[in-house]
Amino acid sequence: ATLGEDPLRDDADVERLWKKVSRSKKSIGALIMDQSCFCGPGNIYRAEILFKARIHPDQLGKDLSRAEFDKVWRHSVELLQRGFREGSILTVDPADDARYGPDLRRYVYNKSRCPICRGPVMSWDIQTRTAYACLACQPLRAVQEAPPSPKKTKKRPAASTPTKSKKAKPTPVKRFRSHCVEDAAEGMSPEMLTVKELKAKLKAHGAPTDGLKSVLVARLTAP
């Protein structure tokens, strides 16, 4: 398959990509991970690009405005080029580092709360990969479908009417310890901490630090 447009390349054909996206019935969340459209972004970048663009991952490509598409492409270029320069996935802007503190490693990927509105971050699967979004900051925009032409409308038996596939229902994020982007230990549940981090917390509280991880977790969470 032919690779799509690479945000790291100066010769990326943005107009060709816009034609693909604007004609597609796939969600923008699926299209960003489609290497024949966007060449490069992975799951972390998808979550962060769409949050920065304030676009819901389930918004269909054909329903995006040109301005919305341009925001998606601009943030794709900015984030992937930053990652290339720094050799690390750094999605939080310097201004937000100062505003929300250095512990903010990313906006919504594997996060339980949105840093902007403090609402819950939700997750669901798009083509077997977990999508993340703040539904308050990234609302799914309703699009009015054009009525079908009377001349082309054909009555079909009810039994032959295709059923729509069910979309995965968004649920609150269950955080995990990411090996791609290191999290600060603060704000993690005890189960997410390493044994070394658990022992450090217990020691700070003057509690015993011996035992297996399950024992340390139980000791730290004991009332």
Side-chain angles (χ1 to χ4, degrees):
T2 304
L3 291 176
E5 307 310 319
D6 189 338
L8 293 176
R9 293 181 62 95
D10 293 334
D11 60 353
D13 192 336
V14 183
E15 294 304 317
R16 181 168 60 184
L17 178 58
W18 164 241
K19 287 180 181 178
K20 283 185 180 180
V21 171
S22 62
R23 295 171 181 171
S24 178
K25 294 182 180 180
K26 290 183 179 180
S27 69
I28 186 60
L31 291 168
I32 286 181
M33 297 284 282
D34 183 343
Q35 296 295 299
S36 68
C37 293
F38 290 77
C39 182
N43 206 33
I44 296 176
Y45 279 124
R46 170 175 68 178
E48 302 293 274
I49 287 166
L50 291 178
F51 177 77
K52 289 167 73 68
R54 299 296 191 269
I55 294 173
H56 194 291
D58 283 343
Q59 200 77 56
L60 301 184
K62 69 183 184 64
D63 293 334
L64 290 182
S65 68
R66 179 57 196 257
E68 289 172 324
F69 165 80
D70 286 341
K71 285 197 295 183
V72 170
W73 179 252
R74 175 168 58 84
H75 289 303
S76 299
V77 171
E78 289 177 355
L79 292 189
L80 267 72
Q81 290 192 353
R82 182 189 298 170
F84 180 76
R85 288 194 308 270
E86 303 295 334
S88 181
I89 300 175
L90 302 173
T91 61
V92 177
D93 295 334
D96 288 334
D97 262 338
R99 183 178 296 116
Y100 302 111
D103 287 343
L104 183 65
R105 298 293 195 272
R106 50 202 176 275
Y107 294 101
V108 292
Y109 178 82
N110 193 29
K111 306 296 285 186
S112 58
R113 290 280 170 187
C114 170
I116 307 299
C117 72
R118 302 306 302 163
V121 174
M122 308 297 278
S123 66
W124 65 99
D125 284 351
I126 296 179
Q127 296 181 344
T128 74
R129 299 299 300 276
T130 304
Y132 298 84
C134 169
L135 304 189
C137 294
Q138 300 166 259
L140 182 60
R141 179 167 49 79
V143 178
Q144 186 68 38
E145 293 288 344
S149 171
K151 294 181 181 179
K152 296 182 180 180
T153 301
K154 294 182 179 180
K155 291 184 178 181
R156 295 180 179 180
S160 67
T161 303
T163 55
K164 293 183 178 179
S165 59
K166 293 183 179 179
K167 289 185 178 180
K169 184 179 179 181
T171 58
V173 170
K174 293 181 179 179
R175 294 187 66 198
F176 60 91
R177 193 65 184 262
S178 174
H179 298 288
C180 298
V181 184
E182 194 60 36
D183 273 310
E186 293 304 319
M188 289 185 179
S189 65
E191 293 79 8
M192 293 174 62
L193 299 176
T194 64
V195 169
K196 182 179 180 181
E197 290 165 344
L198 286 165
K199 287 184 176 182
K201 283 184 172 290
L202 288 167
K203 185 177 180 180
H205 288 87
T209 59
D210 59 305
L212 298 174
K213 182 175 181 177
S214 59
V215 175
L216 299 178
V217 169
R219 196 173 289 153
L220 189 62
T221 56

